[in-house]
Amino acid sequence: MTRVYNFSAGPAVLPEPVLERAREDMLDWNGTGMSVMEMSHRGKAFVSIANQAEQDLRDLLQIPANYKVLFLQGGATGQFAAIPMNLLRGKTRVDYVNTGAWSKKAIAEAKKYADVNVVATAADSHFTTIPAFDGWQRGSDAAYLHYTPNETIGGVEFHWIPESGDVPLVADMSSNILSGPLDVSRFGLIYAGAQKNIGPAGLTLVIVRDDLLGGAMASTPSIFDYQVQAEAESMSNTPPTYAWYLAGLVFQWLKEIGGLKVMDEINRRKAEKLYKAIDNSAFYTNPVDVAARSRMNVPFTLADPELDGLFLKEAEQAGLTTLKGHRSVGGMRASIYNAMPEAGVDALVEFMVDFEQRKA
Amino acid sequence: MTRVYNFSAGPAVLPEPVLERAREDMLDWNGTGMSVMEMSHRGKAFVSIANQAEQDLRDLLQIPANYKVLFLQGGATGQFAAIPMNLLRGKTRVDYVNTGAWSKKAIAEAKKYADVNVVATAADSHFTTIPAFDGWQRGSDAAYLHYTPNETIGGVEFHWIPESGDVPLVADMSSNILSGPLDVSRFGLIYAGAQKNIGPAGLTLVIVRDDLLGGAMASTPSIFDYQVQAEAESMSNTPPTYAWYLAGLVFQWLKEIGGLKVMDEINRRKAEKLYKAIDNSAFYTNPVDVAARSRMNVPFTLADPELDGLFLKEAEQAGLTTLKGHRSVGGMRASIYNAMPEAGVDALVEFMVDFEQRKA
């Protein structure tokens, strides 16, 4: 068995110790004689797994006691609908920031339920910048303010938290949650599909301040009613138990490496190495405003796009996979989430330098 | 490692060869150097896994070409909302049959979206019967007719398919899909949470006739819009990839043992053995009308409920777990889905006979 360095934007690489542990547990978790995926979600064994995962997440993010943590199904895309359904609470207007592909999807879905005011857009820069906060045109009666702290396709990331005042701040952290410390108390609601920094696809985290619960519109599917799920501890229906368990293993792994400050430092180093390799070269280009560059998703182009195919082929041969850029952007994209080892970034940089020397 | 016989109602036992294969593949699927859960859902490797799973399911159930198969998130409970949202198509009335706990949940959720007519209820028999078809009071303009072919809590099962005429027939087959051959062409829509006969929790199958697509109400979350998901081959958002892969392994296992006719025969034998043990005893009782007994979930009570705790304790010691009945019914419940080996039923029967001899 040879493991590759997998730069997929998601579903993405998982920590190898997590996979090894999952392999070990597969037919018999902790002497129970069954796989985690065979356990009743209401049984003692699974409830202990679920509670431990939540506690570890609370420890990592220092989540205040007045926030509920929900382990749901449906992905961030499900939340694009669930958020207005739950948070409008009698209002009709919502504020959204548009920083790229995922913002746009969130906006399109919210329009089914609310009058969406786009407070700022990075369209003028082709989504290579984050619009400065002082230019945001916020509505006067918005139910909440929504933004996307990291855009996986454009490769832009907020390195600051908007100040939303009394209006609940809502963030799609699917692609950068747990990449470093976070002041959860600044937010009304944080949500994240699991398949980048948490675990396998099919699990969605929602961290929601408890004063925002209980106002879902009547047509909200019960699985998306935060109040219903909070009361049932995310088990108003059968939760995605195996994904929840794997998320728990990832949280344990994060604690073992030293928590989010250490993770933050590693992520900073990884991103710096890769951007430096791009910036020091006339052959590779990253189009993003330096202040808005993502630490998770690094898109770059080759000076000669005709070499794209060869780059990808040779990278693959070198054990560096899933580097093709999103079809809407072209070129390459290296996603370097928490679970991408620093050695993977080193190997990519080494390959890039070598490829440039041979082909440029 | 000692595996137990796990009689959980769901999440439930999986075939051991499936778990062994998953263990083997955990860090490296088929020489790709990555786990299935690390793969991009749009990459060649995962698309081949997804397509093979769908094809195997189509083969097993002989699904006609004019039916779409969707691999979704949200569980059957999510579908309780998605079904009226998609299938009302301008109508306001829907027909539901009430045969127990799951019927009631489906009805309660449908009431958010539609005027629900309960065509028949088994309440008079405390849900130990299936109401005879000739007494059903069907509405004149129902968008569809919904029923629950198997109730996991009451342990009742339809052994016939209602004749719904031109009205689309909709069935929650979460707990008995793939337990035997099925004439899919009789249905407008079949849905099933995976965690009994398909795979791990977090995956929901929807098999829908294609003339029923395209009429979702405007407020339908896009992940629940069948037309959107059908066009995107269940990838309008990131699907639960690992659960999809495991479902595929279960489908392959079913094909290897000879398909659904063979499975049907095995399930018939397993259920007969267990009901016979109950019926031949004055100590154990199953309250369900013989013609309506479930082949998947077998509830039974002890003549002396004070022995319940001892029964469960000794069963556990004998490697027979998760036999406690649902709190609403009491007593015991043995769920004997496809993946419960016949030897597990034999072991349970042997234990029951021995317990009765010693304690009755």
Side-chain angles (χ1 to χ4, degrees):
Chain A
M1 184 198 72
T2 313
R3 295 267 298 166
V4 294
Y5 290 120
N6 170 18
F7 295 91
S8 173
V13 58
L14 286 162
E16 207 163 291
V18 164
L19 295 173
E20 280 164 356
R21 173 67 186 274
R23 179 174 60 184
E24 206 174 290
D25 290 351
M26 182 56 82
L27 278 91
D28 180 12
W29 182 83
N30 206 21
T32 56
M34 60 178 91
S35 179
V36 173
M37 61 181 97
E38 299 177 302
M39 291 176 181
S40 167
H41 55 298
R42 305 215 181 270
K44 249 187 241 175
F46 185 74
V47 168
S48 77
I49 290 169
N51 289 346
Q52 188 64 51
E54 178 175 338
Q55 190 54 55
D56 286 339
L57 180 70
R58 285 185 174 275
D59 293 348
L60 285 164
L61 284 170
Q62 297 179 40
I63 299 174
N66 64 324
Y67 285 73
K68 299 282 190 233
V69 177
L70 307 178
F71 291 79
L72 305 179
Q73 296 185 50
T77 304
Q79 292 304 312
F80 293 167
I83 286 162
M85 286 181 137
N86 280 272
L87 299 191
L88 275 174
R89 297 179 300 154
K91 296 196 175 185
T92 57
R93 291 168 57 88
V94 291
D95 281 351
Y96 277 69
V97 185
N98 181 4
T99 51
W102 291 105
S103 299
K104 286 181 212 171
K105 289 190 183 194
I107 289 166
E109 189 80 355
K111 281 184 177 169
K112 290 181 180 173
Y113 310 99
D115 180 8
V116 177
N117 170 43
V118 177
V119 305
T121 172
D124 285 351
S125 73
H126 301 284
F127 299 102
T128 59
T129 57
I130 298 290
F133 184 64
D134 57 14
W136 292 17
Q137 305 288 319
R138 292 175 56 196
S140 57
D141 191 36
Y144 57 84
L145 169 62
H146 179 282
Y147 80 118
T148 311
N150 185 72
E151 290 277 359
T152 58
I153 294 175
V156 296
E157 184 173 8
F158 281 76
H159 299 294
W160 46 279
I161 298 172
E163 179 47 70
S164 66
D166 288 341
V167 174
L169 183 64
V170 175
D172 175 2
M173 293 205 179
S174 296
S175 52
N176 68 349
I177 193 167
L178 297 169
S179 63
L182 182 71
D183 183 357
V184 171
S185 73
R186 300 279 299 275
F187 297 86
L189 186 148
I190 291 165
Y191 65 108
Q195 64 270 17
K196 288 118 176 14
N197 264 344
I198 297 170
L203 173 69
T204 315
L205 271 189
V206 175
I207 303 169
V208 55
R209 211 174 59 213
D210 54 17
D211 64 285
L212 299 176
L213 298 173
M217 54 177 67
S219 60
T220 307
S222 67
I223 67 159
F224 281 159
D225 185 320
Y226 300 145
Q227 172 71 10
V228 168
Q229 290 286 15
E231 278 174 8
E233 299 186 315
S234 306
M235 296 193 190
S236 85
N237 63 320
T238 311
T241 50
Y242 195 67
W244 192 333
Y245 149 79
L246 285 159
L249 294 183
V250 170
F251 302 154
Q252 282 173 29
W253 170 78
L254 281 167
K255 285 182 116 175
E256 278 158 22
I257 65 168
L260 298 188
K261 278 188 189 167
V262 174
M263 194 71 251
D264 188 60
E265 189 54 33
I266 297 169
N267 283 326
R268 193 188 54 71
R269 274 206 310 272
K270 281 167 18 188
E272 271 181 14
K273 282 179 177 178
L274 188 47
Y275 284 114
K276 202 167 145 189
I278 292 166
D279 291 344
N280 286 347
S281 146
F283 184 68
Y284 301 109
T285 308
N286 168 279
V288 176
D289 175 19
V290 171
R293 281 175 165 178
S294 169
R295 303 198 313 177
M296 297 286 108
N297 311 95
V298 183
F300 59 93
T301 51
L302 276 51
D304 179 2
E306 301 227 328
L307 290 172
D308 282 5
L310 189 66
F311 182 95
L312 287 166
K313 191 180 155 195
E314 291 193 2
E316 188 83 34
Q317 286 161 354
L320 308 165
T321 76
T322 332
L323 279 163
K324 192 172 180 177
H326 191 270
R327 59 189 178 279
S328 64
V329 175
M332 309 298 150
R333 172 175 50 172
S335 295
I336 51 173
Y337 300 116
N338 285 355
M340 171 58 64
E342 197 164 345
V345 174
D346 292 340
L348 174 60
V349 167
E350 194 183 339
F351 170 79
M352 287 168 69
V353 169
D354 178 64
F355 186 86
E356 180 179 356
Q357 283 171 352
R358 289 185 292 110
K359 304 293 176 186
Chain B
M1 187 198 72
T2 312
R3 294 267 298 166
V4 295
Y5 291 120
N6 170 17
F7 295 92
S8 172
V13 59
L14 286 163
E16 207 164 290
V18 165
L19 294 173
E20 281 165 355
R21 173 69 186 275
R23 180 174 59 184
E24 207 173 290
D25 290 351
M26 182 55 82
L27 278 91
D28 180 12
W29 182 83
N30 207 20
T32 55
M34 60 179 91
S35 179
V36 172
M37 61 182 97
E38 299 177 303
M39 291 177 181
S40 166
H41 55 298
R42 307 217 181 268
K44 249 187 240 176
F46 185 74
V47 168
S48 78
I49 289 169
N51 289 346
Q52 187 64 51
E54 178 175 339
Q55 189 55 54
D56 287 339
L57 180 70
R58 285 185 174 276
D59 293 348
L60 285 164
L61 283 170
Q62 298 179 39
I63 299 174
N66 63 325
Y67 286 74
K68 299 282 190 232
V69 177
L70 307 178
F71 292 79
L72 305 179
Q73 297 184 49
T77 304
Q79 292 304 311
F80 292 167
I83 285 162
M85 285 181 137
N86 279 272
L87 299 191
L88 274 174
R89 298 180 298 156
K91 296 195 175 185
T92 57
R93 289 168 57 89
V94 292
D95 281 351
Y96 277 69
V97 185
N98 180 4
T99 52
W102 291 105
S103 299
K104 286 181 212 171
K105 289 190 184 195
I107 288 167
E109 188 81 354
K111 281 183 177 169
K112 290 182 182 173
Y113 310 98
D115 180 7
V116 177
N117 171 44
V118 177
V119 305
T121 172
D124 285 351
S125 73
H126 300 285
F127 300 101
T128 60
T129 57
I130 298 289
F133 184 65
D134 57 13
W136 292 16
Q137 305 289 319
R138 292 176 55 195
S140 57
D141 191 36
Y144 57 85
L145 170 61
H146 179 283
Y147 79 118
T148 311
N150 186 72
E151 289 277 359
T152 57
I153 294 175
V156 296
E157 184 173 8
F158 281 77
H159 299 294
W160 46 279
I161 298 173
E163 179 48 70
S164 66
D166 289 340
V167 174
L169 184 63
V170 175
D172 175 1
M173 293 204 178
S174 296
S175 53
N176 69 349
I177 194 167
L178 296 169
S179 65
L182 182 72
D183 183 356
V184 172
S185 73
R186 300 280 298 276
F187 297 86
L189 186 148
I190 291 165
Y191 65 108
Q195 65 269 19
K196 289 117 172 24
N197 264 343
I198 295 170
L203 173 70
T204 316
L205 270 188
V206 175
I207 302 170
V208 55
R209 212 173 58 214
D210 54 18
D211 64 285
L212 299 176
L213 298 173
M217 55 176 68
S219 61
T220 308
S222 67
I223 67 158
F224 280 160
D225 185 320
Y226 299 146
Q227 172 72 11
V228 168
Q229 289 286 17
E231 278 173 8
E233 298 186 317
S234 306
M235 296 192 189
S236 86
N237 63 320
T238 310
T241 50
Y242 195 66
W244 192 332
Y245 149 80
L246 284 160
L249 294 183
V250 170
F251 302 154
Q252 281 172 29
W253 171 78
L254 281 167
K255 284 182 116 174
E256 277 157 24
I257 65 168
L260 298 188
K261 277 187 189 168
V262 174
M263 195 71 250
D264 188 61
E265 189 53 34
I266 297 169
N267 283 327
R268 193 188 54 72
R269 273 206 311 273
K270 279 162 30 184
E272 271 181 15
K273 282 179 176 177
L274 188 48
Y275 284 114
K276 203 167 143 189
I278 293 166
D279 292 343
N280 284 350
S281 146
F283 183 69
Y284 301 109
T285 307
N286 168 281
V288 177
D289 175 18
V290 171
R293 280 175 165 179
S294 170
R295 304 197 313 176
M296 299 285 108
N297 311 95
V298 183
F300 60 93
T301 51
L302 276 52
D304 179 2
E306 302 226 329
L307 290 172
D308 283 3
L310 189 66
F311 181 96
L312 288 166
K313 189 180 157 197
E314 291 193 3
E316 189 82 34
Q317 285 162 354
L320 308 164
T321 76
T322 334
L323 278 163
K324 192 172 181 178
H326 191 271
R327 59 189 180 278
S328 64
V329 175
M332 309 298 150
R333 173 174 51 170
S335 295
I336 51 173
Y337 301 117
N338 285 354
M340 172 56 66
E342 196 164 346
V345 174
D346 292 340
L348 173 60
V349 167
E350 194 183 336
F351 171 80
M352 288 167 69
V353 169
D354 178 63
F355 187 86
E356 179 179 356
Q357 282 172 353
R358 288 184 293 112
K359 305 292 175 185

